[in-house]
């Protein structure tokens, strides 16, 4: 009887011990500022629910042949290009081709603007047409996009200096572009038009008006998935039934709008503080504007907020090294939209541990990226090159803290 | 999963009938009307014998025997600090029935209900014609003898709640198909040599077209049509040869090869023929001095993936698992005469995509490591209570820092 009781006690104690020790034996969550994903603060329960649906659609929904993938495509899910909501990797890079100026793309009947370089079994992928100029591109990080979307057109115009009136050699311009009808149905508050054109701000050339356009085009061109917004099949050129539901597209757009902004790390480190001063002194901050303000938004958590993306969302001439002789909309081939630098230090965490920076990933370090700057950024690059090594390290440390 | 949706209704009726019959059997067992067949623990058994070597309930002079097993557990896990909390899982209820139709003709079937009936599958339903020990015939729904676990997968035989990743995330355990083949064994002194060779239906395009976003052989398990037609129009060959030394242990070499894609339909050529090959080695041994039991398996998979498809679907894969089981107590506990307490550990490794990216020449990730220490208690050889702690590192295709996942699993598995 005593033996029995002994075993019962041992078993019960063991069980209790396991239950108590569970949490201590489970992996801890990484620090919040080391992660790009997660919702911004202040969402309502309903918004959290829609964020979750968008999260699943963006990160978990893999398209198969039966679900409409392709037949020509670049990726089979959103997360393929934006792992962990971060920047893309060269293995899943993509190519756009066929347009050299504002007169439009001359290769639209040959598959332009995007080269779908993969195909489902039985199909041949697209080949780059002879004579077409092109840019290789990597997907950007998608965090904080809701903030960028909510900046008013008036603020972007105020930041621009097309005629370089302040004579600093930097003349950012908004990308005045035509936009599709479905984007017109969701104009941002107080949007400004100019001869029927709107200020577009998403994409490497800043050619997409809003996240609905960016998302619908990504489904269509990256994955070969049609929606009510982009209904033309990229392979046949014909209108076909939508392959992704409108609700799912809307959920993904909401997810992208409500992803949190990347959080800083080491911001109180003296080298980081000194690096930011140098960053400003070298006029890097003239394009990589540290602070912006959102306007009114239907998402309260995005309304009238001050945030720090380090971009002005404007087009700048970046010089010959970065001029691929390819463009979109009305941008010049040498012009690129200033990419947001927030999250820069976390880029390699979604790129397999290696930096692949600039529009095509050619820069393998932050310093290489700086040295590729030209055009309006030439003076800043030159100033960086003239810094003492210790000062350069401070600049790099600051950039890594973003 | 929609496998056998068509048959679900009938299977449920069958199951209810079986359960009622079983309960009667159990009620009468005390009257010694039904007898439980003993599992053959002699050294003459190979992995290939596992399907028949189970504790069946048998009525005297009636040529039909029943059996089955149940697995259930609780799980508490967390990945990178995010937990879904505590859950309870009824993983699988498996029923098997065997019949001796005549002196040389036997039948055995195994029906599995997973996750409370979400997945229902006939895993094995085959007729054996016994000719000679060295040459016999088997046909029906057979378990392809690739590796050791696929055939020897009954939950009560293992000290771990989870199946090895290599077996069910790389290989498609439990993988069965309609087909025919031959098998046999021969003995000499301490040596036993067994072989199996089958032609069956096989895989389909889903192994490179699935929502796992990776070459994933288990995706073909969702294709219930493999029991009525071959997707490719070609047979899948599976062959195995196993050697056992009664003093040392068993080692098996197996091979599976076939065309997996539908390259032709209605006389129209849709694609080129695409093949897959699987090579596996499995072994079991017991270190006599310490009574330490070791079992493991390694598999290498080669799949012809179109070069114009995405690199996410790899053309080479590999993985292994090793279980080390150390009995630490064997004695009478409460009313169980030969209760055994074991300490065990499992090592899992799977690489779904061997190779480097074309663009960067850097290593493709998409791999997993796991280690699972375990305590198991077997009041009898037919029942096991298991406490497992599993820690897993899984990297995405870009080989970014791994997601860390840990799980506590407490459960049981028992033949009935």
């Amino acid at each position: 009887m005593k033996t029995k009781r002994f075993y019962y006690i041992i078993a019960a104690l063991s069980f209790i011990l396991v239950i108590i020790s569970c949490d201590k034996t489970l992996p801890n969550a990484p620090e919040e500022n080391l992660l790009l994903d997660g919702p911004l603060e202040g969402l309502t329960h309903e918004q959290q629910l829609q964020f979750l649906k968008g999260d699943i659609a963006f990160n978990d929904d893999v398209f198969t042949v039966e679900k409409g993938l392709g037949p020509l495509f670049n990726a089979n899910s959103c997360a393929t290009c934006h792992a962990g909501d971060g920047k893309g990797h060269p293995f899943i890079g993509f190519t756009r081709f066929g347009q050299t100026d504002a007169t439009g793309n001359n290769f639209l009947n040959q598959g332009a603007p995007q080269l779908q370089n993969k195909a489902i079994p039985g199909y041949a992928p697209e080949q780059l047409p002879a004579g077409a100029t092109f840019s290789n591109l990597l997907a950007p990080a998608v965090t904080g996009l809701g903030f960028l979307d909510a900046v008013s057109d008036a603020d972007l115009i105020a930041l621009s200096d097309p005629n370089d009136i302040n004579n600093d050699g930097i003349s950012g311009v908004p990308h005045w572009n035509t936009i599709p009808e479905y984007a017109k149905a969701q104009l941002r508050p107080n949007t400004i038009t100019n001869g029927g054109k709107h200020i577009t701000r998403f994409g490497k050339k800043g050619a997409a008006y809003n996240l609905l356009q960016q998302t619908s085009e990504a489904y269509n061109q990256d994955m070969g998935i049609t929606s009510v917004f982009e209904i033309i099949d990229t392979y046949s050129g014909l209108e076909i039934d939508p392959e992704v539901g409108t609700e799912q597209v809307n959920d993904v757009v909401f997810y992208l709008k409500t992803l949190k902004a990347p959080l800083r790390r080491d911001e109180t480190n003296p080298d980081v503080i000194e690096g930011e001063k140098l960053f400003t002194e070298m006029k890097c901050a003239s394009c990589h504007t540290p602070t912006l303000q959102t306007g009114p938004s239907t998402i309260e958590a995005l309304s009238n907020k001050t945030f720090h993306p380090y971009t002005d969302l404007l087009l700048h001439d970046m010089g010959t090294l970065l001029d691929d002789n390819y463009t979109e909309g009305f941008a010049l081939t040498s012009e690129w939209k200033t990419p947001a630098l927030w999250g820069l230090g976390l880029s390699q965490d979604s790129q397999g541990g290696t930096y692949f920076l600039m529009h095509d990933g050619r820069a393998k370090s932050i310093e290489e990226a700086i040295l590729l700057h030209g055009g309006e950024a030439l003076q800043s690059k030159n100033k960086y090159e003239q810094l003492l090594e210790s000062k350069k390290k401070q600049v790099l440390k600051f950039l890594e803290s973003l | 999963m929609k496998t056998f949706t068509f048959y679900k209704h009938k299977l449920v009726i069958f199951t209810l009938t079986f359960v009622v019959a079983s309960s009667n059997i159990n009620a009468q067992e005390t009257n010694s009307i039904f007898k439980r067949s003993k599992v053959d623990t002699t050294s003459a058994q190979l992995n290939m014998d596992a399907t028949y070597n189970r504790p069946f309930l048998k009525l005297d002079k009636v040529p039909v025997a029943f059996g089955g097993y149940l697995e259930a557990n609780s799980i508490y896990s967390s990945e990178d600090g995010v937990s879904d909390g505590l859950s309870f899982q009824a993983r699988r209820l498996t029923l098997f029935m065997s019949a001796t139709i005549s002196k040389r003709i036997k039948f055995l079937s195994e029906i599995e209900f997973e996750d409370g009936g979400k997945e229902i599958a006939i895993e094995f339903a085959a007729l054996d014609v016994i000719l000679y020990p060295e040459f016999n015939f088997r046909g029906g729904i057979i378990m392809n003898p690739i590796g050791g676990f696929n055939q020897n997968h009954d939950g009560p035989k293992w000290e771990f709640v989870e199946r090895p990743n290599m077996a069910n995330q790389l290989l498609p355990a439990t993988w069965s198909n309609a087909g025919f083949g031959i098998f046999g064994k021969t003995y000499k002194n301490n040596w036993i040599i067994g072989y199996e060779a089958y032609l069956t239906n096989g895989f389909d395009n889903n192994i490179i077209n699935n929502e796992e976003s990776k070459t994933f052989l288990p995706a073909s398990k969702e294709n219930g049509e493999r029991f009525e037609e071959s997707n490719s129009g070609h047979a899948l060959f599976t062959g195995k040869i196993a050697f056992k030394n009664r003093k040392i242990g068993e080692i098996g070499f197996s091979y599976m090869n076939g065309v997996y894609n539908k390259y032709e339909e209605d006389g129209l050529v849709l694609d080129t023929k695409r093949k897959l090959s699987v090579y596996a080695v499995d072994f079991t041994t017991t270190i006599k001095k310490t009574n330490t039991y070791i079992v493991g398996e390694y598999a290498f998979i080669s799949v012809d993936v179109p070069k114009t498809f995405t690199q996410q679907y790899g053309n080479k894969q590999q993985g292994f698992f090793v279980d080390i089981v150390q009995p630490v107590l064997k004695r009478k506990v409460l009313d169980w005469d030969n209760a055994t307490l074991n300490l065990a550990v499992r090592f899992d490794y799977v690489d779904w995509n061997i190779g480097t990216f074309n663009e960067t020449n850097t290593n493709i990730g998409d791999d997993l490591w796991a280690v699972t220490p375990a305590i198991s208690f077997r009041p009898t050889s037919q029942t096991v209570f298991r406490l497992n702690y599993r820690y897993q590192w899984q990297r995405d295709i870009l080989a970014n820092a791994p997601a860390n996942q840990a799980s506590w699993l407490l459960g049981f598995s028992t033949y009935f």
Side-chain angles (χ1 to χ4, degrees):
Chain A
M1 192 62 192
K2 276 184 180 175
T3 312
K4 273 189 183 177
R5 192 175 299 157
F6 173 74
Y7 284 122
Y8 287 136
I9 290 168
I10 291 293
L13 286 176
S14 303
F15 187 73
I16 290 166
L17 186 67
V18 166
I19 300 301
I20 291 171
S21 63
C22 267
D23 277 336
K24 296 188 189 305
T25 55
L26 301 175
N28 294 324
E31 294 293 326
E32 191 63 21
N33 60 8
L34 295 176
L35 296 173
L36 289 173
D37 59 352
L40 56 87
E41 286 183 5
L43 295 182
T44 64
H45 289 169
E46 292 86 349
Q47 289 169 336
Q48 297 262 28
L49 199 61
Q50 191 173 9
F51 177 88
L52 195 59
K53 286 165 67 183
D55 189 356
I56 291 166
F58 189 88
N59 289 302
D60 298 341
D61 192 22
V62 174
F63 285 92
T64 59
V65 175
E66 290 72 22
K67 289 169 73 175
L69 178 68
L72 307 185
F73 66 100
N74 297 105
N76 60 357
S77 70
C78 305
T80 306
C81 294
H82 306 277
D85 297 315
K87 284 183 190 293
H89 182 277
F91 108 88
I92 201 70
F94 56 102
T95 299
R96 292 214 175 135
F97 64 95
Q99 183 174 346
T100 55
D101 55 38
T103 60
N105 197 311
N106 297 321
F107 289 84
L108 288 177
N109 61 353
Q110 293 181 64
Q114 189 153 313
L115 185 77
Q116 279 93 28
N117 62 356
K118 300 182 181 72
I120 63 173
Y123 286 77
E126 277 187 305
Q127 302 294 322
L128 194 65
T133 58
F134 64 92
S135 268
N136 292 322
L137 303 167
L138 292 189
V142 293
T143 49
L145 294 183
F147 288 97
L148 300 178
D149 184 52
V151 177
S152 71
D153 287 352
D155 281 3
L156 299 190
I157 291 171
L159 285 169
S160 69
D161 184 14
N163 299 315
D164 194 17
I165 291 170
N166 66 2
N167 209 23
D168 64 353
I170 297 168
S171 55
V173 293
H175 191 162
W176 294 101
N177 197 3
T178 52
I179 65 174
E181 288 302 315
Y182 64 82
K184 285 180 186 167
Q186 295 192 18
L187 295 177
R188 60 179 56 83
N190 305 316
T191 195
I192 297 170
T193 57
N194 182 359
K197 294 176 184 167
H198 292 76
I199 295 177
T200 53
R201 62 183 69 184
F202 292 106
K204 303 285 183 181
K205 296 283 186 180
Y209 178 76
N210 58 14
L211 292 168
L212 176 62
Q213 185 186 353
Q214 188 74 3
T215 301
S216 303
E217 289 182 355
Y219 269 117
N220 189 239
Q221 297 188 15
D222 297 354
M223 297 181 265
I225 299 293
T226 55
S227 63
V228 293
F229 305 110
E230 294 286 340
I231 198 69
I232 305 297
D233 175 39
T234 55
Y235 174 70
S236 64
L238 300 173
E239 182 175 320
I240 62 171
D241 292 336
E243 293 164 321
V244 61
T246 305
E247 187 179 346
Q248 181 166 329
V249 175
N250 289 335
D251 289 341
V252 168
V253 170
F254 187 84
Y255 170 75
L256 295 173
K257 276 188 182 177
T258 52
L259 270 170
K260 73 179 187 191
L263 302 174
R264 291 283 302 271
R265 299 155 308 286
D266 297 329
E267 38 187 329
T268 56
N269 183 304
D271 283 341
V272 170
I273 294 169
E274 189 59 32
E276 179 151 27
K277 281 184 193 164
L278 292 165
F279 183 80
T280 306
E281 285 169 16
M282 294 186 296
K283 294 197 179 301
C284 305
S286 298
C287 301
H288 291 289
T289 308
T291 303
L292 293 176
Q293 179 88 22
T294 61
S297 168
T298 52
I299 300 166
E300 185 55 33
L302 287 170
S303 266
N304 303 308
K305 303 289 183 195
T306 300
F307 64 104
H308 309 287
Y310 294 85
T311 175
D312 58 6
L313 296 172
L314 300 175
L315 295 173
H316 295 272
D317 178 349
M318 292 303 294
T320 52
L321 275 180
L322 296 175
D323 185 349
D324 294 334
N325 201 23
Y326 167 76
T327 195
E328 293 168 2
F330 293 85
L332 301 174
T333 56
S334 61
E335 284 182 328
W336 297 92
K337 184 200 73 183
T338 310
L341 293 184
W342 60 7
L344 176 62
L346 300 178
S347 297
Q348 57 186 341
D349 293 352
S350 63
Q351 297 183 305
T354 307
Y355 282 114
F356 295 100
L357 302 176
M358 306 308 282
H359 64 274
D360 54 3
R362 72 179 76 170
K364 305 298 188 296
S365 68
I366 294 176
E367 184 164 51
E368 270 187 52
I370 294 171
L371 298 178
L372 283 166
H373 282 58
E376 295 174 39
L378 185 62
Q379 292 178 60
S380 299
K381 185 203 80 167
N382 289 341
K383 284 178 184 169
Y384 174 81
E385 285 186 305
Q386 289 158 15
L387 290 177
L388 295 171
E389 283 303 313
S390 58
K391 297 291 183 188
K392 284 182 182 174
K393 281 181 183 165
Q394 288 174 328
V395 173
L396 296 176
K397 200 153 188 173
F398 157 68
L399 292 169
E400 285 167 1
S401 78
L402 294 176
Chain B
M1 186 177 166
K2 290 180 181 171
T3 308
F4 286 101
T5 306
F6 182 73
Y7 296 106
K8 264 188 183 177
H9 195 66
K10 285 180 181 173
L11 285 171
V12 168
I13 294 169
F14 171 81
T15 307
L16 289 172
T17 309
F18 179 86
V19 169
V20 170
S22 297
S23 58
N24 287 339
I25 288 166
N26 288 332
Q28 294 170 66
E29 193 170 28
T30 51
N31 298 329
S32 301
I33 295 172
F34 285 86
K35 288 180 180 173
R36 185 175 293 281
S37 65
K38 291 286 183 187
V39 173
D40 184 351
T41 56
T42 66
S43 54
Q45 296 294 318
L46 295 170
N47 261 323
M48 62 183 278
D49 301 310
T51 44
Y52 274 94
N53 194 25
R54 289 161 156 163
F56 288 94
L57 285 168
K58 196 172 183 308
L59 183 65
D60 269 350
K61 296 178 183 175
V62 173
V64 178
F66 295 100
Y69 68 89
L70 173 69
E71 284 189 285
N73 65 277
S74 62
I75 180 169
Y76 187 84
S77 67
S78 173
E79 182 173 310
D80 288 337
V82 179
S83 171
D84 286 331
L86 181 67
S87 290
F88 299 92
Q89 302 174 316
R91 292 203 176 217
R92 53 186 65 85
L93 167 69
T94 297
L95 309 173
F96 31 81
M97 178 181 68
S98 72
T100 301
I101 296 168
S102 70
K103 194 175 179 184
R104 287 181 177 273
I105 300 178
K106 292 196 295 183
F107 170 80
L108 187 142
S109 68
E110 177 181 346
I111 298 168
E112 186 167 278
F113 299 78
E114 289 197 325
D115 302 325
K118 199 166 75 179
E119 294 181 28
I120 302 173
I122 299 176
E123 297 205 322
F124 189 89
L127 189 79
D128 284 4
V129 181
I130 309 302
L131 303 173
Y132 306 98
E134 298 86 1
F135 185 82
N136 307 284
F137 172 83
R138 175 173 291 166
I141 295 174
I142 62 155
M143 277 186 283
N144 300 63
I146 187 73
F149 186 89
N150 199 49
Q151 290 180 303
N152 195 7
H153 59 261
D154 288 1
K157 293 182 176 176
W158 301 83
E159 317 307 310
F160 302 88
V161 174
E162 302 274 11
R163 289 182 165 181
N165 293 100
M166 189 233 73
N168 68 355
Q169 295 293 300
L170 190 68
L171 298 179
T174 309
W175 177 235
S176 52
N177 281 288
F180 301 89
I182 55 173
F183 66 97
K185 283 198 293 191
T186 185
Y187 308 80
K188 188 163 189 181
N189 302 325
N190 279 326
W191 288 93
I192 307 163
I193 300 174
Y195 76 91
E196 294 173 271
Y198 302 106
L199 293 176
T200 66
N201 292 336
F203 294 92
D204 59 73
N205 303 48
N206 285 341
I207 67 172
I208 61 159
N209 174 46
N210 56 66
E211 297 191 31
E212 295 287 330
S213 207
K214 61 180 63 149
T215 300
F216 195 64
L217 270 53
S220 280
K221 286 179 70 180
E222 295 189 18
N223 177 19
E225 291 183 4
R226 73 183 192 275
F227 295 98
E228 54 183 299
E229 68 171 324
S230 169
N231 178 68
S232 66
H234 291 259
L236 175 73
F237 170 79
T238 313
K240 180 171 184 179
I241 185 163
F243 303 91
K244 182 169 186 176
N245 183 295
R246 296 172 201 267
K247 292 180 178 174
I248 301 172
E250 176 182 344
I251 186 165
F253 301 92
S254 43
Y255 173 66
M256 189 158 64
N257 177 273
V259 175
Y260 68 85
N261 67 324
K262 189 180 275 295
Y263 63 92
E264 200 175 66
E265 189 159 16
D266 290 340
L268 302 174
V269 177
L270 308 176
D271 196 1
T272 56
K273 285 184 196 174
R274 302 194 183 280
K275 286 189 172 184
L276 73 79
S277 301
V278 181
Y279 308 84
V281 181
D282 60 272
F283 66 92
T284 56
T285 188
T286 301
I287 300 171
K288 291 279 190 302
K289 194 170 180 182
T290 57
N291 209 23
T292 309
Y293 174 68
I294 303 171
V295 58
E297 192 169 326
Y298 167 83
F300 177 85
I301 298 170
S302 170
V303 179
D304 178 8
V305 179
K307 286 188 169 49
T308 53
F309 204 43
T310 166
Q311 292 172 77
Q312 289 157 285
Y313 293 88
N315 55 13
K316 292 196 288 285
Q317 304 180 310
Q318 65 178 346
F320 71 79
F321 80 90
V322 178
D323 288 4
I324 303 169
V325 182
Q326 180 62 56
V328 292
L329 183 74
K330 188 166 188 175
R331 52 174 288 193
K332 182 172 182 177
V333 174
L334 303 178
D335 295 324
W336 300 302
D337 289 335
N338 282 308
T340 310
L341 185 70
N342 298 305
L343 296 179
V345 65
R346 167 178 290 167
F347 300 96
D348 278 297
Y349 168 67
V350 175
D351 185 346
W352 285 279
N353 201 336
I354 302 171
T356 56
F357 289 115
N358 298 332
E359 294 78 6
T360 58
N361 205 29
T362 52
N363 190 38
I364 298 174
D366 217 355
D367 51 21
L368 174 151
W369 285 92
V371 58
T372 310
I375 301 172
S376 67
F377 175 65
R378 291 181 176 276
T380 71
S381 60
Q382 294 170 33
T383 302
V384 58
F385 294 93
R386 309 180 280 212
L387 173 63
N388 297 176
Y389 171 72
R390 175 185 163 88
Y391 202 98
Q392 171 187 300
W393 300 263
Q394 184 164 7
R395 297 193 304 172
D396 63 13
I397 187 169
L398 299 171
N400 287 314
N404 296 322
Q405 187 186 65
S407 306
W408 281 99
L409 302 112
L410 180 65
F412 69 87
S413 185
T414 184
Y415 285 114
F416 50 81

